[in-house]
Amino acid sequence: MGSVAVSESKTMLTLPGDAVRQILWRFAGRFDLQMLVQSARSVARGTVARLVAAGERNTHEWTPGKAGMMEAFDRAGVTAAFMEPEEGGFIAGPKNLALALAAFELAWVDGGAATASMASFLALSPIHERGTHDQVTRYKTLAAPPQPGEDRRPWRGAFALTEPIPYVGVDTGMLSGKVRVAEWKDGQEPWLQVEKRGRFITNIAFANFVTAAVGSDDPRIKGTCVVILEEGDEGSFDRGTPTKKLVHQLSSTGDPIFSLKVPASRIVGGYTVKDGVIVPNYNHGEIIEAVFRRTRVPVGLMTSAKLLSAVEPVIRYQRERFRGAEGSKPGSVRYEQGIQQREDALHRLVDVWAAGEAATSLGFAAARLFDELDPLEKVKTALLKERGVQGGRAELKALKESEQRAVELLSLREDDPRRAELEADFLVDYVLKDAEANVICPATKLWNTGHGANMMREAVSLMGGYGITEDCPGFLANKWMDAQLEATYEGPEAVQRRQLTVTMISEVFLAQFRAWTAQMRGIASLRPGTGACTLASAMQMWHWTLNHLQKATDPDGGKLYHGQRQGVTFALADALCWLLASRYQILDVLELEAHGGDDAVAAEGLAGIVQFLSDLCHTQAAQAAGETSRICAELVFGYNRHPAWADEAHQGCFLTSELEEYEETMPGITAMAVDVLAADGSHPLKAGPCADCAGSSEFLRLQSKLTTCLSGARLAKDRAADTVSKVMIPEALDYPA
Ligand SMILES: Cc1cc2nc3c(=O)[nH]c(=O)nc-3n(C[C@H](O)[C@H](O)[C@H](O)COP(=O)(O)OP(=O)(O)OC[C@H]3O[C@@H](n4cnc5c(N)ncnc54)[C@H](O)[C@@H]3O)c2cc1C
């Protein structure tokens, strides 16, 4: 156990604290991020918790209390977390992990509060990602909170993509928002007339500016773009009526209508004029892709925070359940342990906890990866520009060679001399990280929110009737409903699945996936208790199934792995998410084991915490394996037509008379035969002769191996449950009910 003393207790005594979390989620060396976590937490468990407890979620209106919350974010430094130091911020460099941590802390108490703080960043993101220098400076400076002594209210933004039905929703290509040339005097900047109606637009009650997606309604403007609208612009800036949400009521949402005249310099990223036509430098699709790629990660972490936040209230409820009853005297098992005497209650809580750990590990891994990728992306763009390559297809083509080199690198042995050259290749590093990010961002959004919402229901159910009341500590019922919004906005599950079905089959990703599978076996040989071997077997089955389905057809000859066949592709994407979450969970625990001893606070009781978190990994890996096995088996077998008694296939069956004859030379064969036809043609009562399918023996071999790999998983769960029944928790929750 690394630096941990062997004699130390292997039982976790208290809930994992900040020192442990900082190592698991890799910000132990980042004092700026630790400060941000503390200040976001103080607003969450102070101002926000008090608003929720006071019933502010019961109104759709934007109230002074909710507005006060935004100011509390400003004071706590949450608003400034998006800005560069020169723009009024305090964190230098990429901020994906910073924003993810802030969202996690706020959502620990209330998802709407987290969304309210993130929505302004979402509005600024198109400008941050693709805006011109002037645009970035203007809007980020205006949106930065005032410095001490400065008398100014920070600007808040809203991001308007979604439109009234039947336009933009999942399908972002169907835009009804329009832009026309309003005025264009010779040699001067053109003025644009923007008509945009939004649906479900966050922050709209108070936004000072809006980044809106629109398409051209004028031959003098090419394609689509994102434009910046300001509340003072000429025309109508109608905020519309508030949406009657059942969730996230601490954020503002409504259906605005904009009809505004703005200068063409408001086109995000600028434009050029070619043959009398305004050509935006970026279309709305390019901008939105760059934005959502990053902003979807904190959304996934918002749901995982809810799962982990449920642990302490549930433990307290379970333990105290029978106190005060006659016959439940202090010191008795019933008094001390309450519902925790019962295995099922403990096991279900272990499942919630394990899912929360896995989802959080996946989400923070994605956030960190984007922090690494952000600077690489800039260098990549500059490098390719030097070579005369700029964006779109030309860029994809130019990166093809680097992709081949990346795949080659992953196939080389540790001692291969060519490794050094490929490892030093900047573009190889870029394509590897890019391929991983293209998968783990949608995986975080999809799995954390979708599976997270299901697991929040479990958490609520553990509190019995209390769980579905406003009085429930930890606001669990609110969180259950809120999780569903997190699964929906910024692109619902279908959008994430659609993206995964493309990115997860990239050659570079699959080469990494194979390397990760081998890596898990390696980990398993050193740390068998993590479930890494189970996971590796499940990863192998997923990969085998993908290969099989890419070649296989249905009985009519139709391809199975095909964009239109969501029944196949979406299901495989779902299975992959389980595997990825489990992988990052295991890697985090190894990190804690390796570095926990470096920190005096984390080192205390480290062996017990590592043991418990490993048991959660094992529990989660077993669930991931089960899901993968179920999904893959259904896909591999489910598209074969079942043989019928009436068709040719039954010719492979024995007749009773034949069996009697064979029995003389092969005693015992009767016991082995399953599909036996009687002389009159009657057959056993079942769908038809048992099915077989091409390649099934290989699949069944993998499946049978995977099943035996589950050995020990329930023992790990029992051990985790035992710890949950003994772990110390604080006297009371640190925020009000
Ligand atoms: C509280 C709240 C705040 C929001 N904030 C904002 C905001 O600030 N800015 C903004 O622009 N938008 C915002 N939205 C809008 C949100 O992003 C959309 O609601 C979301 O993208 C889904 O679009 P839709 O509602 O039109 O669903 P639909 O597109 O109608 O989807 C309905 C269902 O059909 C499925 N589906 C749709 N298309 C496909 C397909 N091709 N394949 C398979 N299944 C499919 C979906 O997965 C979903 O299950 C917000 C929404 C809410 C509720």
Side-chain angles (χ1 to χ4, degrees):
M1 284 271 161
S3 49
V4 182
V6 185
S7 62
E8 200 182 336
S9 160
K10 285 261 259 176
T11 303
M12 181 175 77
L13 301 176
T14 54
L15 301 176
D18 281 330
V20 167
R21 294 303 186 190
Q22 286 161 12
I23 298 170
L24 281 171
W25 302 330
R26 325 293 163 85
F27 62 107
R30 294 282 305 269
F31 187 63
D32 51 349
L33 299 186
Q34 293 164 21
M35 291 297 294
L36 175 65
V37 165
Q38 292 306 324
S39 46
R41 184 177 298 170
S42 69
V43 187
R45 300 184 193 188
T47 310
V48 173
R50 282 194 297 274
L51 285 175
V52 179
E56 282 282 302
R57 288 181 57 123
N58 298 335
T59 171
H60 307 297
E61 301 301 325
W62 190 245
T63 63
K66 295 178 194 179
M69 172 184 78
M70 303 298 287
E71 285 163 19
F73 294 152
D74 297 339
R75 285 193 299 275
V78 177
T79 313
F82 190 78
M83 318 300 170
E84 296 300 323
E86 62 275 18
E87 296 157 350
F90 56 96
I91 299 170
K95 294 170 188 52
N96 300 285
L97 181 57
L99 301 183
L101 285 164
F104 181 88
E105 280 302 327
L106 295 173
W108 185 276
V109 176
D110 187 81
T115 291
S117 88
M118 293 293 132
S120 267
F121 305 151
L122 180 61
L124 282 169
S125 288
I127 301 169
H128 174 77
E129 294 299 335
R130 295 289 182 265
T132 62
H133 180 263
D134 287 353
Q135 290 168 344
V136 173
T137 309
R138 173 174 170 78
Y139 293 97
K140 287 181 81 183
T141 313
L142 282 169
Q147 300 292 323
E150 212 186 346
D151 183 22
R152 173 175 69 78
R153 293 171 79 88
W155 272 33
R156 318 250 185 235
F159 170 80
L161 170 64
T162 310
E163 297 177 345
I165 284 174
Y167 295 102
V168 168
V170 169
D171 189 351
T172 52
M174 278 201 343
L175 271 179
S176 97
K178 293 289 178 248
V179 57
R180 293 193 312 271
V181 173
E183 236 179 84
W184 193 348
K185 293 198 182 119
D186 247 6
Q188 289 186 13
E189 161 127 281
W191 282 79
L192 310 174
Q193 180 63 32
V194 177
E195 306 291 338
K196 170 85 182 181
R197 295 176 62 132
R199 178 170 64 122
F200 305 148
I201 305 305
T202 307
N203 271 8
I204 200 59
F206 49 84
N208 308 95
F209 71 98
V210 174
T211 37
V214 287
S216 168
D217 190 27
D218 192 319
R220 287 170 296 169
I221 306 175
K222 185 164 178 237
T224 66
C225 60
V226 172
V227 286
I228 308 166
L229 310 174
E230 294 184 7
E231 60 182 341
D233 286 332
E234 184 185 332
S236 165
F237 190 104
D238 178 352
R239 298 173 192 274
T241 49
T243 308
K244 292 184 176 150
K245 284 178 294 184
L246 293 170
V247 295
H248 280 219
Q249 294 95 334
L250 290 191
S251 70
S252 138
T253 315
D255 299 354
I257 306 170
F258 306 109
S259 175
L260 297 164
K261 193 171 148 190
V262 302
S265 60
R266 297 281 189 78
I267 294 175
V268 172
Y271 62 94
T272 53
V273 176
K274 271 193 202 132
D275 304 326
V277 174
I278 298 171
V279 184
N281 289 337
Y282 299 101
N283 67 40
H284 86 291
E286 287 167 322
I287 295 180
I288 283 161
E289 194 187 304
V291 168
F292 278 159
R293 199 168 178 229
R294 290 162 176 85
T295 57
R296 282 172 176 155
V297 173
V299 177
L301 282 158
M302 282 164 52
T303 318
S304 73
K306 295 172 168 50
L307 293 175
L308 292 180
S309 80
V311 168
E312 188 189 320
V314 171
I315 293 179
R316 186 174 296 107
Y317 176 78
Q318 291 180 330
R319 294 213 183 132
E320 294 177 357
R321 177 66 178 80
F322 303 122
R323 291 189 190 169
E326 251 177 79
S328 175
K329 299 274 179 284
S332 69
V333 179
R334 196 171 165 77
Y335 182 94
E336 298 300 335
Q337 292 204 303
I339 300 177
Q340 292 209 330
Q341 290 172 90
R342 304 295 170 215
E343 183 170 277
D344 184 64
L346 292 169
H347 276 194
R348 284 179 192 278
L349 180 54
V350 166
D351 285 339
V352 171
W353 196 337
E357 294 290 343
T360 309
S361 290
L362 173 63
F364 281 129
R368 292 193 303 268
L369 184 59
F370 279 108
D371 274 358
E372 288 180 45
L373 200 55
D374 280 358
L376 297 187
E377 237 173 16
K378 290 200 178 77
V379 179
K380 175 252 340 180
T381 307
L383 256 178
L384 292 182
K385 201 170 164 191
E386 267 172 34
R387 296 182 195 170
V389 180
Q390 224 171 338
R393 280 176 190 281
E395 182 173 314
L396 290 180
K397 213 167 137 209
L399 289 174
K400 266 267 161 279
E401 194 204 328
S402 304
E403 287 173 10
Q404 291 310 321
R405 286 163 69 82
V407 172
E408 185 193 348
L409 171 62
L410 289 165
S411 71
L412 296 179
R413 291 165 57 105
E414 279 302 318
D415 54 359
D416 195 303
R418 210 170 131 64
R419 281 193 84 90
E421 182 203 325
L422 294 175
E423 277 169 354
D425 183 331
F426 169 84
L427 285 176
V428 166
D429 188 30
Y430 168 77
V431 296
L432 282 169
K433 292 200 165 91
D434 190 51
E436 183 180 355
N438 283 337
V439 172
I440 69 171
C441 167
T444 298
K445 175 68 166 63
L446 173 63
W447 193 80
N448 286 22
T449 62
H451 182 56
N454 294 343
M455 292 311 282
M456 266 319 290
R457 192 207 70 81
E458 281 287 323
V460 168
S461 81
L462 294 177
M463 302 286 260
Y466 204 19
I468 39 175
T469 69
E470 284 181 5
D471 301 329
C472 179
F475 315 128
L476 299 190
N478 290 346
K479 289 175 182 169
W480 171 30
M481 282 283 277
D482 285 354
Q484 183 53 43
L485 174 61
E486 288 142 32
T488 301
Y489 72 5
E490 290 203 30
E493 285 146 287
V495 173
Q496 314 310 321
R497 291 189 173 110
R498 207 164 49 182
Q499 194 179 335
L500 276 165
T501 60
V502 176
T503 57
M504 74 189 189
I505 58 168
S506 98
E507 220 188 322
V508 179
F509 175 73
L510 288 174
Q512 288 188 91
F513 189 80
R514 281 191 295 276
W516 294 348
T517 308
Q519 175 200 32
M520 280 297 137
R521 293 263 186 242
I523 290 171
S525 72
L526 299 171
R527 299 283 179 271
T530 54
C533 225
T534 318
L535 184 62
S537 297
M539 290 168 84
Q540 208 178 347
M541 173 186 278
W542 181 87
H543 203 336
W544 185 94
T545 305
L546 174 68
N547 284 338
H548 172 79
L549 294 171
Q550 281 182 317
K551 287 179 241 118
T553 55
D554 65 17
D556 299 324
K559 276 184 74 161
L560 289 181
Y561 200 95
H562 186 282
Q564 300 299 329
R565 209 140 200 178
Q566 296 178 341
V568 176
T569 57
F570 280 20
L572 268 182
D574 285 338
L576 177 64
C577 293
W578 282 86
L579 301 172
L580 293 173
S582 205
R583 169 179 187 265
Y584 291 99
Q585 183 186 9
I586 292 172
L587 294 181
D588 277 358
V589 176
L590 294 187
E591 176 78 8
L592 177 67
E593 188 181 4
H595 297 292
D598 304 343
D599 179 280
V601 181
E604 208 174 311
L606 183 62
I609 291 180
V610 168
Q611 176 68 55
F612 175 73
L613 293 178
S614 298
D615 287 335
L616 291 188
C617 287
H618 203 159
T619 301
Q620 190 60 35
Q623 298 221 6
E627 279 297 308
T628 306
S629 176
R630 180 184 65 78
I631 291 170
C632 292
E634 203 175 322
L635 295 178
V636 170
F637 289 89
Y639 285 98
N640 296 323
R641 193 166 284 137
H642 198 293
W645 295 110
D647 59 36
E648 298 281 297
H650 88 256
Q651 287 176 355
C653 301
F654 294 110
L655 296 172
T656 316
S657 55
E658 281 171 343
L659 275 181
E660 282 163 8
E661 201 181 311
Y662 294 153
E663 190 66 35
E664 286 179 14
T665 48
M666 290 176 270
I669 188 171
T670 313
M672 307 290 287
V674 284
D675 296 323
V676 184
L677 300 177
D680 63 359
S682 62
H683 53 72
L685 289 177
K686 56 193 191 110
C690 280
D692 192 6
C693 83
S696 67
S697 60
E698 177 63 6
F699 181 84
L700 293 172
R701 191 186 64 75
L702 290 172
Q703 200 182 36
S704 138
K705 177 171 155 64
L706 183 58
T707 307
T708 53
C709 285
L710 295 174
S711 306
R714 284 276 164 164
L715 297 174
K717 193 173 203 171
D718 278 348
R719 206 162 36 233
D722 184 56
T723 302
V724 168
S725 75
K726 295 186 178 123
V727 70
M728 279 186 285
I729 57 166
E731 274 297 305
L733 200 62
D734 64 359
Y735 55 98

